[in-house]
Amino acid sequence: MTNRELKGEVAGTRYMLKGALWKFTLLPGLLELQLAEQLLQHGVEVTLWPNVDRSDLRVKHGGMDLDIDAKVWISPRALGHHLESVRASTLRWIVIPDYQQAHVGWLQSVCPPGLQVFTQSQCIKELTKRAHPF
């Protein structure tokens, strides 16, 4: 799995998700599954949708639990406004697609304490480094 653009298919007798379901379940779901697969390949312990989707992934490394939420929003500004209102009770990373890398700095600047923003590639790199520090 990669974060490459998905090619469409002729629908034929297949069904299609309505816009909101496609936008809020399929796209983030693909990013969640890609993150889990990549982290598992690097030997990082991952649980998808822990505690009935309290977060998208829970990662255990170095005796610490980290919650990760995958966010595939068309509007980085709308995501920023959403992040401003999030109250993290534990360390939480927000992971966005690599193609939105230009927005990481601004999104990070509006996050409350306890939240950090990474692209998919940055997340994998950082967690791999932390899981295997030497």
Side-chain angles (χ1 to χ4, degrees):
M1 292 183 179
T2 67
N3 61 351
R4 290 179 304 181
E5 179 182 350
L6 297 174
K7 301 295 180 196
E9 293 183 25
V10 176
T13 59
R14 297 180 186 163
Y15 293 94
M16 182 177 127
L17 290 174
K18 290 190 177 194
L21 290 175
W22 176 79
K23 188 185 327 178
F24 294 110
T25 61
L26 177 64
L27 293 178
L30 291 174
L31 181 56
E32 294 161 11
L33 293 172
Q34 290 170 358
L35 284 166
E37 182 178 305
Q38 290 173 316
L39 291 169
L40 288 169
Q41 288 173 356
H42 290 286
V44 177
E45 185 180 339
V46 177
T47 303
L48 280 165
W49 312 293
N51 301 340
V52 191
D53 203 22
R54 180 175 172 263
S55 64
D56 297 326
L57 293 94
R58 174 151 308 133
V59 174
K60 292 183 181 281
H61 66 86
M64 181 176 72
D65 289 347
L66 167 68
D67 287 334
I68 296 177
D69 283 321
K71 300 292 187 192
V72 183
W73 289 41
I74 293 171
S75 168
R77 182 158 303 282
L79 175 57
H81 292 301
H82 168 73
L83 295 179
E84 288 175 321
S85 67
V86 172
R87 298 292 169 245
S89 58
T90 61
L91 181 61
R92 182 176 300 269
W93 287 9
I94 305 301
V95 177
I96 61 175
D98 286 339
Y99 61 81
Q100 291 185 327
Q101 181 175 358
H103 304 289
V104 169
W106 179 77
L107 288 168
Q108 188 64 41
S109 75
V110 299
C111 282
L115 286 183
Q116 290 185 281
V117 178
F118 295 88
T119 64
Q120 180 177 356
S121 294
Q122 291 169 335
C123 175
I124 300 301
K125 182 178 179 182
E126 186 64 27
L127 285 175
T128 301
K129 183 173 73 177
R130 291 181 186 203
H132 310 290
F134 301 105

PDB file of all heavy atoms in Angstrom, residues 3 31 71-77 79 95-105 107 117-120 122:
ATOM      1  N   ASN A   3       0.596   5.856  -0.677  1.00  0.00           N
ATOM      2  CA  ASN A   3      -0.346   6.970  -0.648  1.00  0.00           C
ATOM      3  C   ASN A   3      -0.586   7.514  -2.055  1.00  0.00           C
ATOM      4  O   ASN A   3      -0.980   8.648  -2.224  1.00  0.00           O
ATOM      5  CB  ASN A   3       0.143   8.071   0.289  1.00  0.00           C
ATOM      6  CG  ASN A   3       1.476   8.627  -0.154  1.00  0.00           C
ATOM      7  OD1 ASN A   3       2.123   8.104  -1.060  1.00  0.00           O
ATOM      8  ND2 ASN A   3       1.921   9.679   0.495  1.00  0.00           N
ATOM      9  N   LEU A  31      -5.785   5.345   4.825  1.00  0.00           N
ATOM     10  CA  LEU A  31      -4.585   5.867   5.469  1.00  0.00           C
ATOM     11  C   LEU A  31      -4.297   5.105   6.768  1.00  0.00           C
ATOM     12  O   LEU A  31      -3.148   4.748   7.048  1.00  0.00           O
ATOM     13  CB  LEU A  31      -4.721   7.370   5.735  1.00  0.00           C
ATOM     14  CG  LEU A  31      -3.524   8.066   6.396  1.00  0.00           C
ATOM     15  CD1 LEU A  31      -2.234   7.869   5.592  1.00  0.00           C
ATOM     16  CD2 LEU A  31      -3.815   9.552   6.571  1.00  0.00           C
ATOM     17  N   LYS A  71      -6.114  11.827   9.429  1.00  0.00           N
ATOM     18  CA  LYS A  71      -7.046  12.877   9.005  1.00  0.00           C
ATOM     19  C   LYS A  71      -6.823  13.171   7.520  1.00  0.00           C
ATOM     20  O   LYS A  71      -5.780  13.679   7.135  1.00  0.00           O
ATOM     21  CB  LYS A  71      -6.828  14.171   9.804  1.00  0.00           C
ATOM     22  CG  LYS A  71      -7.015  14.027  11.301  1.00  0.00           C
ATOM     23  CD  LYS A  71      -8.455  13.767  11.659  1.00  0.00           C
ATOM     24  CE  LYS A  71      -8.662  13.784  13.167  1.00  0.00           C
ATOM     25  NZ  LYS A  71      -9.964  13.277  13.539  1.00  0.00           N
ATOM     26  N   VAL A  72      -7.802  12.825   6.715  1.00  0.00           N
ATOM     27  CA  VAL A  72      -7.748  13.122   5.285  1.00  0.00           C
ATOM     28  C   VAL A  72      -8.857  14.135   5.017  1.00  0.00           C
ATOM     29  O   VAL A  72      -9.985  13.770   4.709  1.00  0.00           O
ATOM     30  CB  VAL A  72      -7.914  11.849   4.427  1.00  0.00           C
ATOM     31  CG1 VAL A  72      -7.767  12.190   2.953  1.00  0.00           C
ATOM     32  CG2 VAL A  72      -6.912  10.791   4.834  1.00  0.00           C
ATOM     33  N   TRP A  73      -8.527  15.396   5.189  1.00  0.00           N
ATOM     34  CA  TRP A  73      -9.479  16.484   4.999  1.00  0.00           C
ATOM     35  C   TRP A  73      -9.084  17.258   3.754  1.00  0.00           C
ATOM     36  O   TRP A  73      -7.909  17.548   3.540  1.00  0.00           O
ATOM     37  CB  TRP A  73      -9.477  17.419   6.205  1.00  0.00           C
ATOM     38  CG  TRP A  73     -10.086  16.843   7.448  1.00  0.00           C
ATOM     39  CD1 TRP A  73      -9.940  15.571   7.936  1.00  0.00           C
ATOM     40  CD2 TRP A  73     -10.915  17.519   8.385  1.00  0.00           C
ATOM     41  NE1 TRP A  73     -10.632  15.422   9.104  1.00  0.00           N
ATOM     42  CE2 TRP A  73     -11.237  16.602   9.407  1.00  0.00           C
ATOM     43  CE3 TRP A  73     -11.403  18.807   8.455  1.00  0.00           C
ATOM     44  CZ2 TRP A  73     -12.044  16.940  10.488  1.00  0.00           C
ATOM     45  CZ3 TRP A  73     -12.197  19.151   9.538  1.00  0.00           C
ATOM     46  CH2 TRP A  73     -12.518  18.213  10.538  1.00  0.00           C
ATOM     47  N   ILE A  74     -10.060  17.635   2.972  1.00  0.00           N
ATOM     48  CA  ILE A  74      -9.790  18.415   1.768  1.00  0.00           C
ATOM     49  C   ILE A  74      -9.252  19.788   2.149  1.00  0.00           C
ATOM     50  O   ILE A  74      -8.343  20.309   1.521  1.00  0.00           O
ATOM     51  CB  ILE A  74     -11.055  18.542   0.901  1.00  0.00           C
ATOM     52  CG1 ILE A  74     -11.434  17.169   0.345  1.00  0.00           C
ATOM     53  CG2 ILE A  74     -10.863  19.537  -0.226  1.00  0.00           C
ATOM     54  CD1 ILE A  74     -12.773  17.125  -0.345  1.00  0.00           C
ATOM     55  N   SER A  75      -9.791  20.367   3.210  1.00  0.00           N
ATOM     56  CA  SER A  75      -9.416  21.714   3.621  1.00  0.00           C
ATOM     57  C   SER A  75      -8.506  21.679   4.854  1.00  0.00           C
ATOM     58  O   SER A  75      -8.973  21.387   5.962  1.00  0.00           O
ATOM     59  CB  SER A  75     -10.664  22.529   3.951  1.00  0.00           C
ATOM     60  OG  SER A  75     -10.305  23.726   4.609  1.00  0.00           O
ATOM     61  N   PRO A  76      -7.222  21.982   4.686  1.00  0.00           N
ATOM     62  CA  PRO A  76      -6.338  22.074   5.859  1.00  0.00           C
ATOM     63  C   PRO A  76      -6.822  23.128   6.855  1.00  0.00           C
ATOM     64  O   PRO A  76      -6.674  22.953   8.057  1.00  0.00           O
ATOM     65  CB  PRO A  76      -4.989  22.455   5.262  1.00  0.00           C
ATOM     66  CG  PRO A  76      -5.051  21.940   3.856  1.00  0.00           C
ATOM     67  CD  PRO A  76      -6.482  22.139   3.438  1.00  0.00           C
ATOM     68  N   ARG A  77      -7.427  24.214   6.362  1.00  0.00           N
ATOM     69  CA  ARG A  77      -7.930  25.251   7.275  1.00  0.00           C
ATOM     70  C   ARG A  77      -9.053  24.700   8.151  1.00  0.00           C
ATOM     71  O   ARG A  77      -9.078  24.926   9.361  1.00  0.00           O
ATOM     72  CB  ARG A  77      -8.411  26.465   6.486  1.00  0.00           C
ATOM     73  CG  ARG A  77      -8.896  27.570   7.394  1.00  0.00           C
ATOM     74  CD  ARG A  77      -8.882  28.934   6.763  1.00  0.00           C
ATOM     75  NE  ARG A  77      -7.612  29.387   6.241  1.00  0.00           N
ATOM     76  CZ  ARG A  77      -6.618  29.876   6.982  1.00  0.00           C
ATOM     77  NH1 ARG A  77      -6.748  29.949   8.277  1.00  0.00           N
ATOM     78  NH2 ARG A  77      -5.500  30.282   6.426  1.00  0.00           N
ATOM     79  N   LEU A  79      -9.491  21.575   8.936  1.00  0.00           N
ATOM     80  CA  LEU A  79      -8.847  20.642   9.857  1.00  0.00           C
ATOM     81  C   LEU A  79      -8.182  21.408  10.998  1.00  0.00           C
ATOM     82  O   LEU A  79      -8.281  21.018  12.161  1.00  0.00           O
ATOM     83  CB  LEU A  79      -7.820  19.773   9.122  1.00  0.00           C
ATOM     84  CG  LEU A  79      -7.000  18.829  10.002  1.00  0.00           C
ATOM     85  CD1 LEU A  79      -7.885  17.884  10.808  1.00  0.00           C
ATOM     86  CD2 LEU A  79      -6.009  18.041   9.135  1.00  0.00           C
ATOM     87  N   VAL A  95      -2.065  12.440  11.807  1.00  0.00           N
ATOM     88  CA  VAL A  95      -1.304  12.095  10.602  1.00  0.00           C
ATOM     89  C   VAL A  95      -2.145  12.436   9.381  1.00  0.00           C
ATOM     90  O   VAL A  95      -3.301  12.024   9.273  1.00  0.00           O
ATOM     91  CB  VAL A  95      -0.905  10.602  10.598  1.00  0.00           C
ATOM     92  CG1 VAL A  95      -0.188  10.241   9.313  1.00  0.00           C
ATOM     93  CG2 VAL A  95      -0.028  10.294  11.811  1.00  0.00           C
ATOM     94  N   ILE A  96      -1.528  13.218   8.497  1.00  0.00           N
ATOM     95  CA  ILE A  96      -2.186  13.636   7.267  1.00  0.00           C
ATOM     96  C   ILE A  96      -1.442  13.015   6.082  1.00  0.00           C
ATOM     97  O   ILE A  96      -0.301  12.572   6.227  1.00  0.00           O
ATOM     98  CB  ILE A  96      -2.238  15.181   7.155  1.00  0.00           C
ATOM     99  CG1 ILE A  96      -0.835  15.780   7.127  1.00  0.00           C
ATOM    100  CG2 ILE A  96      -3.068  15.767   8.293  1.00  0.00           C
ATOM    101  CD1 ILE A  96      -0.795  17.290   6.895  1.00  0.00           C
ATOM    102  N   PRO A  97      -2.066  12.977   4.922  1.00  0.00           N
ATOM    103  CA  PRO A  97      -1.400  12.412   3.748  1.00  0.00           C
ATOM    104  C   PRO A  97      -0.148  13.211   3.373  1.00  0.00           C
ATOM    105  O   PRO A  97      -0.063  14.418   3.617  1.00  0.00           O
ATOM    106  CB  PRO A  97      -2.452  12.519   2.637  1.00  0.00           C
ATOM    107  CG  PRO A  97      -3.752  12.696   3.336  1.00  0.00           C
ATOM    108  CD  PRO A  97      -3.445  13.390   4.624  1.00  0.00           C
ATOM    109  N   ASP A  98       0.805  12.529   2.766  1.00  0.00           N
ATOM    110  CA  ASP A  98       2.054  13.175   2.358  1.00  0.00           C
ATOM    111  C   ASP A  98       1.829  14.364   1.431  1.00  0.00           C
ATOM    112  O   ASP A  98       2.578  15.336   1.480  1.00  0.00           O
ATOM    113  CB  ASP A  98       2.976  12.161   1.663  1.00  0.00           C
ATOM    114  CG  ASP A  98       3.611  11.183   2.641  1.00  0.00           C
ATOM    115  OD1 ASP A  98       3.677  11.488   3.851  1.00  0.00           O
ATOM    116  OD2 ASP A  98       4.051  10.115   2.194  1.00  0.00           O
ATOM    117  N   TYR A  99       0.803  14.301   0.595  1.00  0.00           N
ATOM    118  CA  TYR A  99       0.595  15.395  -0.355  1.00  0.00           C
ATOM    119  C   TYR A  99       0.174  16.699   0.325  1.00  0.00           C
ATOM    120  O   TYR A  99       0.140  17.747  -0.307  1.00  0.00           O
ATOM    121  CB  TYR A  99      -0.403  15.009  -1.459  1.00  0.00           C
ATOM    122  CG  TYR A  99      -1.804  14.666  -1.003  1.00  0.00           C
ATOM    123  CD1 TYR A  99      -2.735  15.657  -0.715  1.00  0.00           C
ATOM    124  CD2 TYR A  99      -2.194  13.341  -0.882  1.00  0.00           C
ATOM    125  CE1 TYR A  99      -4.022  15.334  -0.310  1.00  0.00           C
ATOM    126  CE2 TYR A  99      -3.482  13.007  -0.475  1.00  0.00           C
ATOM    127  CZ  TYR A  99      -4.387  14.008  -0.196  1.00  0.00           C
ATOM    128  OH  TYR A  99      -5.653  13.685   0.204  1.00  0.00           O
ATOM    129  N   GLN A 100      -0.109  16.667   1.632  1.00  0.00           N
ATOM    130  CA  GLN A 100      -0.448  17.881   2.366  1.00  0.00           C
ATOM    131  C   GLN A 100       0.712  18.353   3.249  1.00  0.00           C
ATOM    132  O   GLN A 100       0.523  19.148   4.164  1.00  0.00           O
ATOM    133  CB  GLN A 100      -1.700  17.659   3.209  1.00  0.00           C
ATOM    134  CG  GLN A 100      -2.953  17.503   2.369  1.00  0.00           C
ATOM    135  CD  GLN A 100      -4.211  17.400   3.214  1.00  0.00           C
ATOM    136  OE1 GLN A 100      -4.208  16.871   4.309  1.00  0.00           O
ATOM    137  NE2 GLN A 100      -5.301  17.924   2.674  1.00  0.00           N
ATOM    138  N   GLN A 101       1.912  17.917   2.949  1.00  0.00           N
ATOM    139  CA  GLN A 101       3.081  18.247   3.759  1.00  0.00           C
ATOM    140  C   GLN A 101       3.266  19.750   3.966  1.00  0.00           C
ATOM    141  O   GLN A 101       3.677  20.189   5.038  1.00  0.00           O
ATOM    142  CB  GLN A 101       4.350  17.672   3.125  1.00  0.00           C
ATOM    143  CG  GLN A 101       5.600  17.965   3.927  1.00  0.00           C
ATOM    144  CD  GLN A 101       6.818  17.302   3.355  1.00  0.00           C
ATOM    145  OE1 GLN A 101       6.755  16.583   2.363  1.00  0.00           O
ATOM    146  NE2 GLN A 101       7.954  17.525   3.983  1.00  0.00           N
ATOM    147  N   ALA A 102       2.937  20.551   2.988  1.00  0.00           N
ATOM    148  CA  ALA A 102       3.117  22.000   3.095  1.00  0.00           C
ATOM    149  C   ALA A 102       2.318  22.605   4.249  1.00  0.00           C
ATOM    150  O   ALA A 102       2.615  23.717   4.693  1.00  0.00           O
ATOM    151  CB  ALA A 102       2.718  22.674   1.774  1.00  0.00           C
ATOM    152  N   HIS A 103       1.330  21.899   4.765  1.00  0.00           N
ATOM    153  CA  HIS A 103       0.452  22.440   5.810  1.00  0.00           C
ATOM    154  C   HIS A 103       0.840  22.000   7.227  1.00  0.00           C
ATOM    155  O   HIS A 103       0.225  22.458   8.191  1.00  0.00           O
ATOM    156  CB  HIS A 103      -0.998  22.035   5.533  1.00  0.00           C
ATOM    157  CG  HIS A 103      -1.462  22.449   4.175  1.00  0.00           C
ATOM    158  ND1 HIS A 103      -1.708  23.754   3.827  1.00  0.00           N
ATOM    159  CD2 HIS A 103      -1.682  21.719   3.057  1.00  0.00           C
ATOM    160  CE1 HIS A 103      -2.073  23.825   2.567  1.00  0.00           C
ATOM    161  NE2 HIS A 103      -2.075  22.600   2.069  1.00  0.00           N
ATOM    162  N   VAL A 104       1.840  21.144   7.355  1.00  0.00           N
ATOM    163  CA  VAL A 104       2.201  20.604   8.671  1.00  0.00           C
ATOM    164  C   VAL A 104       2.576  21.712   9.645  1.00  0.00           C
ATOM    165  O   VAL A 104       2.102  21.735  10.779  1.00  0.00           O
ATOM    166  CB  VAL A 104       3.338  19.557   8.567  1.00  0.00           C
ATOM    167  CG1 VAL A 104       3.881  19.198   9.941  1.00  0.00           C
ATOM    168  CG2 VAL A 104       2.838  18.308   7.861  1.00  0.00           C
ATOM    169  N   GLY A 105       3.410  22.647   9.236  1.00  0.00           N
ATOM    170  CA  GLY A 105       3.852  23.720  10.136  1.00  0.00           C
ATOM    171  C   GLY A 105       2.697  24.537  10.676  1.00  0.00           C
ATOM    172  O   GLY A 105       2.610  24.794  11.887  1.00  0.00           O
ATOM    173  N   LEU A 107      -0.561  23.677  10.742  1.00  0.00           N
ATOM    174  CA  LEU A 107      -1.426  22.833  11.570  1.00  0.00           C
ATOM    175  C   LEU A 107      -0.817  22.634  12.953  1.00  0.00           C
ATOM    176  O   LEU A 107      -1.511  22.694  13.966  1.00  0.00           O
ATOM    177  CB  LEU A 107      -1.677  21.484  10.889  1.00  0.00           C
ATOM    178  CG  LEU A 107      -2.589  21.521   9.665  1.00  0.00           C
ATOM    179  CD1 LEU A 107      -2.532  20.187   8.915  1.00  0.00           C
ATOM    180  CD2 LEU A 107      -4.017  21.854  10.064  1.00  0.00           C
ATOM    181  N   VAL A 117       1.419  17.073  14.697  1.00  0.00           N
ATOM    182  CA  VAL A 117       0.993  16.763  13.333  1.00  0.00           C
ATOM    183  C   VAL A 117       2.180  16.265  12.536  1.00  0.00           C
ATOM    184  O   VAL A 117       3.268  16.852  12.577  1.00  0.00           O
ATOM    185  CB  VAL A 117       0.388  18.007  12.643  1.00  0.00           C
ATOM    186  CG1 VAL A 117      -0.016  17.688  11.210  1.00  0.00           C
ATOM    187  CG2 VAL A 117      -0.807  18.525  13.430  1.00  0.00           C
ATOM    188  N   PHE A 118       1.956  15.168  11.809  1.00  0.00           N
ATOM    189  CA  PHE A 118       2.967  14.567  10.941  1.00  0.00           C
ATOM    190  C   PHE A 118       2.311  14.169   9.625  1.00  0.00           C
ATOM    191  O   PHE A 118       1.115  13.881   9.593  1.00  0.00           O
ATOM    192  CB  PHE A 118       3.544  13.281  11.570  1.00  0.00           C
ATOM    193  CG  PHE A 118       4.304  13.499  12.831  1.00  0.00           C
ATOM    194  CD1 PHE A 118       3.665  13.498  14.060  1.00  0.00           C
ATOM    195  CD2 PHE A 118       5.674  13.683  12.811  1.00  0.00           C
ATOM    196  CE1 PHE A 118       4.363  13.681  15.237  1.00  0.00           C
ATOM    197  CE2 PHE A 118       6.394  13.870  13.983  1.00  0.00           C
ATOM    198  CZ  PHE A 118       5.737  13.868  15.197  1.00  0.00           C
ATOM    199  N   THR A 119       3.109  14.079   8.575  1.00  0.00           N
ATOM    200  CA  THR A 119       2.629  13.415   7.367  1.00  0.00           C
ATOM    201  C   THR A 119       2.804  11.916   7.579  1.00  0.00           C
ATOM    202  O   THR A 119       3.481  11.483   8.525  1.00  0.00           O
ATOM    203  CB  THR A 119       3.423  13.821   6.116  1.00  0.00           C
ATOM    204  OG1 THR A 119       4.777  13.394   6.267  1.00  0.00           O
ATOM    205  CG2 THR A 119       3.338  15.320   5.860  1.00  0.00           C
ATOM    206  N   GLN A 120       2.243  11.133   6.691  1.00  0.00           N
ATOM    207  CA  GLN A 120       2.376   9.680   6.787  1.00  0.00           C
ATOM    208  C   GLN A 120       3.852   9.270   6.810  1.00  0.00           C
ATOM    209  O   GLN A 120       4.268   8.497   7.667  1.00  0.00           O
ATOM    210  CB  GLN A 120       1.650   9.024   5.607  1.00  0.00           C
ATOM    211  CG  GLN A 120       1.728   7.515   5.612  1.00  0.00           C
ATOM    212  CD  GLN A 120       0.941   6.903   4.460  1.00  0.00           C
ATOM    213  OE1 GLN A 120       0.282   7.598   3.693  1.00  0.00           O
ATOM    214  NE2 GLN A 120       1.002   5.604   4.343  1.00  0.00           N
ATOM    215  N   GLN A 122       6.519  11.100   7.560  1.00  0.00           N
ATOM    216  CA  GLN A 122       7.182  11.590   8.769  1.00  0.00           C
ATOM    217  C   GLN A 122       6.843  10.713   9.968  1.00  0.00           C
ATOM    218  O   GLN A 122       7.701  10.424  10.806  1.00  0.00           O
ATOM    219  CB  GLN A 122       6.755  13.033   9.055  1.00  0.00           C
ATOM    220  CG  GLN A 122       7.274  14.050   8.077  1.00  0.00           C
ATOM    221  CD  GLN A 122       6.605  15.414   8.253  1.00  0.00           C
ATOM    222  OE1 GLN A 122       5.476  15.524   8.755  1.00  0.00           O
ATOM    223  NE2 GLN A 122       7.302  16.457   7.826  1.00  0.00           N
TER     224      GLN A 122
END
